[in-house]
Coordinates of all heavy atoms in Angstrom, one line a residue:
M1 N 93.5 81.7 99.3 CA 93.1 82.3 98.0 C 94.3 82.4 97.0 O 94.0 82.0 95.9 CB 92.6 83.7 98.4 CG 92.0 84.5 97.2 SD 90.9 85.8 97.8 CE 91.8 87.1 97.0
Y2 N 95.4 82.8 97.3 CA 96.5 82.9 96.3 C 97.5 81.6 96.6 O 97.5 81.1 97.8 CB 97.4 84.1 96.5 CG 96.6 85.3 96.3 CD1 96.1 86.2 97.2 CD2 96.4 85.7 95.0 CE1 95.4 87.3 97.0 CE2 95.6 86.9 94.7 CZ 95.1 87.7 95.7 OH 94.4 88.9 95.4
E3 N 98.0 81.2 95.5 CA 99.0 80.1 95.6 C 100.2 80.4 95.0 O 100.2 81.3 94.0 CB 98.5 78.8 95.0 CG 97.3 78.2 95.8 CD 96.8 76.9 95.1 OE1 97.6 76.2 94.4 OE2 95.8 76.4 95.3
D4 N 101.4 80.0 95.5 CA 102.6 80.3 94.9 C 102.7 79.9 93.3 O 102.1 78.9 93.0 CB 103.8 79.7 95.6 CG 104.1 80.0 96.9 OD1 103.4 81.1 97.4 OD2 104.9 79.6 97.6
K5 N 103.2 80.7 92.5 CA 103.3 80.4 91.0 C 104.8 80.5 90.6 O 105.5 81.3 91.1 CB 102.7 81.4 90.2 CG 101.2 81.5 90.3 CD 100.7 82.6 89.3 CE 99.2 82.7 89.4 NZ 98.6 83.7 88.4
T6 N 105.3 79.6 89.8 CA 106.6 79.6 89.3 C 106.5 80.3 88.0 O 105.7 80.0 87.0 CB 107.0 78.2 89.1 OG1 107.1 77.5 90.4 CG2 108.5 78.3 88.5
L7 N 107.3 81.4 87.8 CA 107.4 82.1 86.7 C 108.7 82.2 86.0 O 109.7 81.8 86.7 CB 106.9 83.6 86.9 CG 105.6 84.0 87.5 CD1 105.4 85.4 87.8 CD2 104.4 83.4 86.7
V8 N 108.9 82.5 84.8 CA 110.1 82.6 84.1 C 110.6 84.0 83.8 O 109.8 84.8 83.3 CB 110.2 81.7 82.7 CG1 111.3 81.8 82.0 CG2 109.8 80.3 83.0
C9 N 111.8 84.4 84.3 CA 112.3 85.8 84.1 C 112.5 86.0 82.7 O 113.3 85.2 81.9 CB 113.5 85.9 84.9 SG 114.4 87.5 84.7
K10 N 112.0 87.2 82.1 CA 112.4 87.5 80.7 C 113.6 88.0 80.5 O 114.2 88.0 79.2 CB 111.2 88.5 80.3 CG 111.4 90.0 80.6 CD 110.5 90.8 80.0 CE 110.7 92.2 79.9 NZ 109.8 93.1 79.2
E11 N 114.3 88.4 81.5 CA 115.7 88.9 81.4 C 116.7 87.7 81.4 O 117.6 87.7 80.5 CB 116.0 89.8 82.6 CG 117.2 90.8 82.3 CD 116.9 92.0 81.5 OE1 115.7 92.3 81.4 OE2 117.8 92.4 80.8
C12 N 116.7 86.9 82.4 CA 117.8 85.9 82.5 C 117.3 84.4 82.1 O 118.0 83.5 82.0 CB 118.3 85.9 83.9 SG 117.3 85.4 85.2
G13 N 115.9 84.3 82.1 CA 115.5 82.9 81.7 C 115.3 82.0 82.9 O 114.8 80.9 82.7
N14 N 115.8 82.4 84.1 CA 115.6 81.5 85.2 C 114.2 81.6 85.7 O 113.4 82.6 85.6 CB 116.5 82.0 86.4 CG 118.0 81.7 86.0 OD1 118.3 80.8 85.3 ND2 118.9 82.5 86.6
E15 N 113.8 80.5 86.5 CA 112.5 80.4 87.1 C 112.6 81.1 88.4 O 113.5 81.2 89.2 CB 112.1 78.9 87.3 CG 111.7 78.3 86.0 CD 111.2 76.9 86.3 OE1 111.3 76.3 87.3 OE2 110.7 76.2 85.3
F16 N 111.6 81.7 88.8 CA 111.4 82.4 90.2 C 109.9 82.1 90.7 O 109.1 81.9 90.0 CB 111.8 83.8 90.1 CG 110.8 84.7 89.4 CD1 110.0 85.4 90.0 CD2 111.0 84.8 88.0 CE1 109.2 86.4 89.3 CE2 110.2 85.7 87.3 CZ 109.3 86.5 87.9
V17 N 109.8 82.2 92.0 CA 108.5 82.0 92.6 C 107.8 83.3 92.9 O 108.5 84.2 93.4 CB 108.5 81.0 93.9 CG1 107.2 81.0 94.6 CG2 109.3 79.8 93.6
F18 N 106.6 83.5 92.5 CA 105.8 84.6 92.7 C 104.9 84.2 93.8 O 103.9 83.4 93.6 CB 104.9 85.1 91.4 CG 104.1 86.2 91.6 CD1 104.5 87.3 92.3 CD2 102.9 86.3 90.8 CE1 103.7 88.5 92.4 CE2 102.1 87.4 90.9 CZ 102.5 88.5 91.7
T19 N 105.3 84.5 95.0 CA 104.7 84.0 96.3 C 103.1 84.4 96.4 O 102.8 85.4 95.8 CB 105.4 84.2 97.6 OG1 105.3 85.7 97.8 CG2 106.8 83.8 97.4
A20 N 102.5 83.7 97.1 CA 101.1 84.1 97.6 C 101.0 85.5 98.2 O 100.2 86.3 97.9 CB 100.4 83.0 98.4
G21 N 102.0 85.7 99.0 CA 102.0 87.0 99.7 C 102.5 88.2 98.8 O 101.8 89.2 98.9
E22 N 103.2 87.9 97.8 CA 103.6 88.9 96.7 C 102.3 89.1 95.9 O 102.0 90.3 95.6 CB 104.7 88.4 95.8 CG 106.1 88.5 96.6 CD 107.1 87.7 95.8 OE1 106.8 86.8 95.0 OE2 108.3 88.2 96.0
Q23 N 101.5 88.0 95.6 CA 100.3 88.2 94.8 C 99.2 89.1 95.6 O 98.6 89.9 94.9 CB 99.8 86.8 94.5 CG 100.6 86.0 93.5 CD 100.1 84.6 93.4 OE1 98.9 84.4 93.0 NE2 100.9 83.7 93.5
E24 N 99.2 88.8 96.8 CA 98.2 89.7 97.6 C 98.8 91.1 97.7 O 97.9 91.9 97.6 CB 98.2 89.1 99.1 CG 97.2 89.7 99.9 CD 97.1 88.9 101.3 OE1 97.7 88.0 101.4 OE2 96.5 89.6 102.2
F25 N 99.9 91.4 97.7 CA 100.6 92.7 97.7 C 100.3 93.4 96.4 O 99.8 94.6 96.5 CB 102.2 92.7 98.0 CG 102.7 93.9 97.8 CD1 102.9 94.9 98.9 CD2 103.3 94.3 96.6 CE1 103.5 96.0 98.9 CE2 104.1 95.4 96.6 CZ 104.2 96.4 97.6
Y26 N 100.4 92.7 95.3 CA 100.1 93.2 94.1 C 98.5 93.6 94.0 O 98.2 94.6 93.4 CB 100.5 92.1 93.0 CG 101.9 92.4 92.5 CD1 103.0 92.4 93.4 CD2 102.2 92.4 91.1 CE1 104.3 92.4 92.9 CE2 103.6 92.6 90.5 CZ 104.5 92.6 91.6 OH 105.8 92.5 91.2
A27 N 97.8 92.6 94.3 CA 96.3 92.9 94.3 C 95.8 94.0 95.1 O 95.0 94.9 94.8 CB 95.5 91.7 94.8
E28 N 96.4 94.3 96.4 CA 96.1 95.3 97.2 C 96.5 96.7 96.7 O 95.6 97.6 96.8 CB 96.8 95.2 98.5 CG 96.3 94.1 99.4 CD 97.2 94.0 100.7 OE1 98.3 94.7 100.8 OE2 97.0 93.0 101.4
R29 N 97.4 96.6 95.8 CA 97.8 98.0 95.2 C 97.2 98.2 93.8 O 97.7 99.1 93.1 CB 99.3 98.0 95.2 CG 99.8 98.5 96.5 CD 101.2 98.1 96.9 NE 101.5 98.4 98.3 CZ 101.2 97.8 99.3 NH1 100.3 96.7 99.2 NH2 101.5 98.1 100.5
G30 N 96.4 97.1 93.3 CA 95.7 97.3 92.0 C 96.6 96.9 90.8 O 96.2 97.2 89.7
F31 N 97.8 96.3 91.1 CA 98.6 95.9 89.9 C 98.0 94.8 89.3 O 97.6 93.7 89.9 CB 100.1 95.5 90.4 CG 100.8 96.6 91.1 CD1 101.7 96.3 92.2 CD2 100.7 97.9 90.8 CE1 102.3 97.1 92.9 CE2 101.4 98.9 91.5 CZ 102.3 98.5 92.5
Q32 N 97.9 94.7 88.0 CA 97.1 93.6 87.3 C 98.1 92.7 86.6 O 97.6 91.6 86.2 CB 96.2 94.2 86.2 CG 95.1 95.0 87.0 CD 94.1 95.5 86.0 OE1 94.0 95.2 84.9 NE2 93.1 96.4 86.6
N33 N 99.4 93.1 86.4 CA 100.3 92.3 85.6 C 101.2 91.5 86.6 O 101.6 92.1 87.6 CB 101.2 93.0 84.7 CG 100.4 93.7 83.7 OD1 99.4 93.1 83.2 ND2 100.6 94.9 83.2
E34 N 101.6 90.4 86.4 CA 102.6 89.5 87.1 C 103.9 90.2 86.8 O 104.1 90.7 85.8 CB 102.5 88.1 86.9 CG 101.1 87.5 87.2 CD 101.1 86.0 86.8 OE1 101.9 85.5 85.9 OE2 100.3 85.3 87.3
P35 N 104.7 90.0 87.9 CA 106.2 90.5 87.5 C 106.8 89.6 86.4 O 106.6 88.5 86.2 CB 107.0 90.2 88.9 CG 106.1 89.1 89.6 CD 104.7 89.3 89.1
Q36 N 107.5 90.3 85.5 CA 108.3 89.6 84.4 C 109.7 89.2 84.7 O 110.4 88.5 83.9 CB 108.2 90.5 83.1 CG 106.7 90.6 82.7 CD 106.5 91.3 81.5 OE1 107.5 91.6 80.7 NE2 105.3 91.8 81.1
R37 N 110.3 89.8 85.7 CA 111.6 89.7 86.0 C 111.8 89.1 87.5 O 111.1 89.5 88.3 CB 112.4 90.9 85.9 CG 112.6 91.5 84.5 CD 113.4 92.8 84.6 NE 113.5 93.4 83.2 CZ 112.5 94.0 82.5 NH1 111.3 94.2 83.1 NH2 112.8 94.5 81.2
C38 N 112.8 88.4 87.7 CA 113.2 87.8 89.0 C 113.6 88.9 89.8 O 114.0 90.1 89.3 CB 114.2 86.6 88.9 SG 115.8 87.2 88.3
K39 N 113.8 88.9 91.1 CA 114.2 89.8 92.0 C 115.6 90.3 91.7 O 115.8 91.6 91.7 CB 114.3 89.4 93.6 CG 114.8 90.4 94.5 CD 113.8 90.5 95.6 CE 114.4 91.5 96.6 NZ 114.7 92.9 96.4
A40 N 116.5 89.5 91.4 CA 118.0 89.8 91.0 C 117.9 90.8 89.9 O 118.6 91.9 89.7 CB 118.8 88.7 90.8
C41 N 117.2 90.4 88.8 CA 117.1 91.2 87.6 C 116.4 92.6 87.8 O 116.7 93.6 87.2 CB 116.4 90.4 86.5 SG 117.5 89.1 85.9
R42 N 115.3 92.5 88.6 CA 114.7 93.7 89.0 C 115.6 94.8 89.7 O 115.6 96.0 89.4 CB 113.4 93.5 89.8 CG 112.3 93.0 89.2 CD 110.9 93.0 89.8 NE 110.9 92.5 91.3 CZ 110.7 91.4 91.7 NH1 110.3 90.4 90.7 NH2 110.8 91.0 93.0
D43 N 116.3 94.2 90.6 CA 117.2 95.1 91.4 C 118.3 95.6 90.5 O 118.8 96.8 90.6 CB 117.9 94.2 92.6 CG 116.9 93.9 93.7 OD1 115.8 94.5 93.7 OD2 117.2 93.1 94.6
A44 N 118.9 94.7 89.5 CA 119.9 95.2 88.7 C 119.4 96.3 87.8 O 120.0 97.3 87.5 CB 120.5 94.0 87.9
K45 N 118.1 96.2 87.4 CA 117.5 97.2 86.6 C 117.4 98.5 87.2 O 117.7 99.6 86.6 CB 116.2 96.7 85.9 CG 115.5 97.7 84.9 CD 114.3 97.1 84.3 CE 113.7 98.2 83.4 NZ 112.5 97.8 82.8
K46 N 116.9 98.5 88.4 CA 116.7 99.6 89.2 C 118.1 100.4 89.5 O 118.2 101.7 89.4 CB 116.1 99.2 90.7 CG 114.7 98.9 90.6 CD 114.2 98.6 92.0 CE 112.8 98.0 92.0 NZ 112.3 97.6 93.2
A47 N 119.1 99.5 89.8 CA 120.4 100.1 90.0 C 120.9 100.8 88.8 O 121.7 101.8 88.8 CB 121.4 99.0 90.5
A48 N 120.8 100.3 87.5 CA 121.1 100.8 86.3 C 120.5 102.1 86.0 O 121.1 102.9 85.5 CB 121.1 99.7 85.2
L49 N 119.2 102.2 86.4 CA 118.5 103.4 86.1 C 118.9 104.6 87.1 O 119.0 105.7 86.6 CB 116.9 103.1 86.3 CG 116.3 102.4 85.2 CD1 114.8 102.1 85.7 CD2 116.4 102.9 83.9
R50 N 119.3 104.2 88.2 CA 119.6 105.2 89.3 C 121.1 105.7 89.0 O 121.5 106.8 89.3 CB 119.6 104.5 90.7 CG 118.3 104.7 91.4 CD 118.5 104.5 92.8 NE 118.9 103.1 93.0 CZ 118.1 102.0 93.5 NH1 117.0 102.2 93.8 NH2 118.6 100.8 93.6
G51 N 121.9 104.8 88.5 CA 123.3 105.1 88.2 C 124.1 104.8 89.4 O 123.6 104.4 90.6
P52 N 125.4 104.9 89.4 CA 126.2 104.7 90.5 C 126.0 105.6 91.7 O 125.7 106.7 91.6 CB 127.7 104.8 90.0 CG 127.6 105.7 88.9 CD 126.2 105.5 88.2
K53 N 126.0 105.1 92.9 CA 125.8 106.0 94.2 C 127.1 106.9 94.3 O 128.3 106.4 94.1 CB 125.7 105.1 95.4 CG 124.3 104.8 95.7 CD 124.3 104.1 97.2 CE 122.8 103.8 97.5 NZ 122.8 103.2 98.8
Q54 N 126.8 108.0 94.7 CA 127.9 109.0 94.9 C 128.3 108.9 96.5 O 127.2 109.2 97.3 CB 127.6 110.3 94.4 CG 128.7 111.3 94.6 CD 128.3 112.7 94.1 OE1 127.2 112.8 93.7 NE2 129.3 113.7 94.1
Y55 N 129.4 108.9 96.8 CA 129.9 108.8 98.3 C 130.7 110.2 98.5 O 131.5 110.5 97.7 CB 130.6 107.6 98.7 CG 129.7 106.5 98.8 CD1 129.5 105.7 97.7 CD2 129.0 106.2 99.9 CE1 128.6 104.6 97.8 CE2 128.1 105.1 100.2 CZ 128.0 104.3 99.1 OH 127.0 103.1 99.1
F56 N 130.5 110.7 99.7 CA 131.3 111.8 100.1 C 132.1 111.5 101.3 O 131.8 110.7 102.2 CB 130.3 112.9 100.6 CG 129.4 113.4 99.5 CD1 128.1 112.8 99.4 CD2 129.6 114.5 98.7 CE1 127.4 113.2 98.2 CE2 128.9 114.9 97.6 CZ 127.6 114.2 97.4
D57 N 133.3 112.2 101.4 CA 134.2 112.0 102.5 C 133.9 113.0 103.6 O 133.4 114.0 103.3 CB 135.7 112.3 102.0 CG 136.1 111.3 101.0 OD1 135.9 110.0 101.2 OD2 136.8 111.6 99.9
A58 N 134.0 112.4 104.9 CA 133.6 113.2 106.0 C 134.4 112.9 107.1 O 135.3 111.8 107.0 CB 132.2 113.0 106.4
V59 N 134.4 113.5 108.2 CA 135.1 113.1 109.4 C 134.2 112.9 110.5 O 133.1 113.5 110.7 CB 136.1 114.4 109.9 CG1 136.6 114.0 111.3 CG2 137.1 114.8 108.9
C60 N 134.2 111.6 111.1 CA 133.3 111.2 112.1 C 133.3 112.1 113.4 O 134.4 112.4 113.8 CB 133.8 109.7 112.7 SG 132.8 109.2 114.0
A61 N 132.2 112.5 113.8 CA 132.0 113.5 114.9 C 132.3 112.7 116.2 O 132.7 113.4 117.2 CB 130.6 114.0 115.0
A62 N 132.3 111.4 116.3 CA 132.6 110.6 117.4 C 134.1 110.4 117.7 O 134.7 110.6 118.8 CB 131.8 109.5 117.6
C63 N 134.7 109.7 116.7 CA 136.0 109.3 117.0 C 137.0 110.1 116.0 O 138.2 109.9 116.2 CB 136.1 107.7 116.5 SG 136.0 107.6 114.7
G64 N 136.6 110.9 115.2 CA 137.5 111.7 114.3 C 138.0 111.0 113.1 O 139.0 111.5 112.4
G65 N 137.7 109.8 113.0 CA 138.2 109.0 111.8 C 137.4 109.4 110.6 O 136.5 110.1 110.4
P66 N 138.0 108.9 109.4 CA 137.3 109.0 108.1 C 136.0 108.3 108.1 O 135.9 107.2 108.5 CB 138.4 108.6 107.1 CG 139.2 107.5 107.8 CD 139.2 108.0 109.3
A67 N 135.2 108.9 107.2 CA 133.8 108.2 107.0 C 133.4 108.5 105.6 O 133.6 109.6 105.0 CB 132.7 108.8 107.9
K68 N 132.9 107.5 104.8 CA 132.3 107.7 103.5 C 130.8 107.6 103.8 O 130.3 106.6 104.2 CB 132.8 106.7 102.7 CG 134.2 106.9 102.1 CD 134.4 106.3 100.7 CE 135.7 106.6 100.2 NZ 135.9 107.9 99.6
I69 N 130.0 108.6 103.3 CA 128.7 108.6 103.5 C 127.9 108.9 102.1 O 128.4 109.6 101.2 CB 128.2 109.9 104.5 CG1 128.9 111.1 104.0 CG2 128.6 109.4 105.8 CD1 128.4 112.3 104.9
P70 N 126.7 108.3 101.9 CA 125.9 108.5 100.6 C 125.2 109.8 100.5 O 124.4 109.9 99.7 CB 125.0 107.2 100.7 CG 124.7 107.1 102.0 CD 126.0 107.5 102.8
F71 N 125.5 110.8 101.3 CA 124.8 112.1 101.2 C 125.8 113.2 101.5 O 126.8 112.9 102.1 CB 123.6 112.1 102.2 CG 124.1 112.0 103.6 CD1 124.5 112.9 104.5 CD2 124.0 110.7 104.1 CE1 124.9 112.7 105.7 CE2 124.4 110.4 105.5 CZ 124.8 111.4 106.3
E72 N 125.5 114.3 101.1 CA 126.4 115.4 101.3 C 126.4 116.0 102.7 O 125.2 116.3 103.2 CB 126.2 116.6 100.3 CG 127.3 117.6 100.2 CD 127.1 118.6 99.0 OE1 126.2 118.4 98.3 OE2 128.0 119.5 98.8
P73 N 127.4 115.9 103.4 CA 127.3 116.5 104.8 C 127.1 117.9 104.9 O 127.5 118.7 104.1 CB 128.7 116.1 105.3 CG 129.7 116.0 104.1 CD 128.8 115.6 103.0
K74 N 126.4 118.3 106.0 CA 126.1 119.6 106.4 C 126.7 120.1 107.7 O 126.9 119.2 108.6 CB 124.5 119.8 106.4 CG 123.7 119.5 105.3 CD 122.3 119.8 105.5 CE 121.4 119.4 104.2 NZ 120.1 119.5 104.4
A75 N 127.2 121.2 107.7 CA 127.9 121.7 108.8 C 127.2 121.6 110.1 O 127.8 121.5 111.2 CB 128.4 123.1 108.5
D76 N 125.8 121.8 110.1 CA 125.0 121.8 111.3 C 124.6 120.5 111.9 O 124.0 120.3 112.8 CB 123.8 122.8 111.1 CG 123.0 122.2 110.0 OD1 123.4 121.5 109.1 OD2 121.6 122.5 110.2
R77 N 125.0 119.4 111.1 CA 124.7 118.0 111.5 C 125.8 117.1 111.7 O 126.7 117.0 110.7 CB 123.7 117.4 110.5 CG 122.4 118.2 110.1 CD 121.2 117.8 110.6 NE 121.1 116.4 110.8 CZ 119.9 115.8 111.3 NH1 118.9 116.6 111.5 NH2 119.8 114.5 111.3
P78 N 126.0 116.4 112.7 CA 127.0 115.4 112.9 C 127.0 114.4 112.0 O 126.0 113.8 111.5 CB 127.0 115.1 114.3 CG 125.6 115.1 114.7 CD 125.1 116.3 113.9
V79 N 128.2 113.8 111.6 CA 128.3 112.6 110.7 C 129.2 111.6 111.4 O 130.1 112.0 112.2 CB 129.0 113.0 109.4 CG1 129.2 111.8 108.6 CG2 128.1 114.0 108.6
Y80 N 128.7 110.3 111.3 CA 129.5 109.2 112.1 C 130.0 108.2 111.1 O 129.2 107.8 110.1 CB 128.5 108.7 113.1 CG 128.1 109.6 114.2 CD1 126.8 110.2 114.0 CD2 128.8 110.0 115.1 CE1 126.3 111.2 114.9 CE2 128.3 110.9 116.1 CZ 127.1 111.5 116.0 OH 126.6 112.5 116.8
C81 N 131.0 107.6 111.4 CA 131.5 106.5 110.6 C 130.6 105.3 111.0 O 129.9 105.2 111.9 CB 133.1 106.1 111.0 SG 133.3 105.5 112.7
S82 N 130.8 104.3 110.1 CA 129.9 103.1 110.3 C 129.9 102.4 111.7 O 129.0 102.0 112.3 CB 130.3 101.9 109.3 OG 129.9 102.5 108.0
E83 N 131.1 102.3 112.2 CA 131.4 101.7 113.6 C 130.7 102.5 114.7 O 129.9 102.0 115.5 CB 132.9 101.5 113.8 CG 133.6 100.5 113.0 CD 135.0 100.5 113.2 OE1 135.6 101.0 114.1 OE2 135.7 99.7 112.3
C84 N 131.0 103.8 114.6 CA 130.3 104.7 115.6 C 128.8 104.7 115.5 O 128.1 104.7 116.6 CB 130.9 106.1 115.5 SG 132.6 106.1 116.1
F85 N 128.4 104.8 114.3 CA 126.8 104.8 114.0 C 126.2 103.5 114.6 O 125.2 103.6 115.3 CB 126.6 105.0 112.6 CG 125.2 105.1 112.3 CD1 124.5 106.3 112.5 CD2 124.4 104.0 111.7 CE1 123.2 106.4 112.3 CE2 123.0 104.2 111.4 CZ 122.4 105.4 111.7
A86 N 126.9 102.3 114.3 CA 126.4 101.1 114.9 C 126.4 101.1 116.4 O 125.4 100.5 117.1 CB 127.2 99.9 114.3
K87 N 127.4 101.6 117.1 CA 127.4 101.6 118.5 C 126.3 102.5 119.0 O 125.8 102.1 120.0 CB 128.9 102.2 119.0 CG 129.9 101.3 118.9 CD 131.3 101.9 119.3 CE 132.4 101.1 118.9 NZ 133.7 101.9 119.2
M88 N 126.1 103.7 118.4 CA 124.9 104.5 118.9 C 123.6 103.8 118.7 O 122.8 104.0 119.6 CB 125.0 105.8 118.0 CG 126.2 106.7 118.3 SD 126.2 108.2 117.3 CE 124.7 108.8 117.4
R89 N 123.4 103.1 117.7 CA 122.1 102.4 117.5 C 122.0 101.3 118.5 O 120.9 101.1 119.1 CB 122.0 101.7 116.2 CG 121.9 102.7 115.1 CD 121.7 102.1 113.7 NE 120.2 102.1 113.5 CZ 119.6 101.6 112.4 NH1 120.3 101.2 111.5 NH2 118.3 101.8 112.3
E90 N 123.1 100.6 119.0 CA 123.1 99.6 120.0 C 122.6 100.2 121.3 O 121.9 99.7 122.2 CB 124.4 98.9 120.2 CG 124.6 97.9 119.0 CD 126.0 97.4 119.0 OE1 126.7 97.3 120.1 OE2 126.4 96.7 118.0
E91 N 123.2 101.4 121.6 CA 123.0 102.2 122.9 C 121.4 102.6 123.0 O 121.0 102.5 124.2 CB 123.9 103.3 123.1 CG 125.3 102.9 123.3 CD 126.3 104.1 123.2 OE1 125.8 105.3 123.1 OE2 127.5 103.8 123.3
R92 N 120.8 102.9 121.9 CA 119.4 103.3 121.9 C 118.6 102.1 122.1 O 117.5 102.2 122.7 CB 119.1 103.9 120.6 CG 119.7 105.3 120.4 CD 119.2 106.0 119.1 NE 119.8 107.2 118.9 CZ 119.8 107.9 117.7 NH1 119.0 107.4 116.7 NH2 120.4 109.0 117.6
A93 N 118.9 100.9 121.6 CA 118.0 99.8 121.7 C 117.8 99.3 123.0 O 118.2 99.6 124.1 CB 118.5 98.8 120.8

């Protein structure tokens, strides 16, 4: 039913593909307009609207090392550094 379309980004002028899957996604949600920007330009625009991410310093509950996290730590919840968090995820899987 849908076929891939090549569109031109209004921001950078590069061509990008509006895939059949993306078209189906748009139709399911009732979107009537095709995207006007490529993925890179859409992501850049979203990031600019959100502003820079704020990171907080914390101490890892597992190893005691420093951790930078994108949310404000709470005293009642443990915080883990990236390495310890990844190890915990592997153990669960």
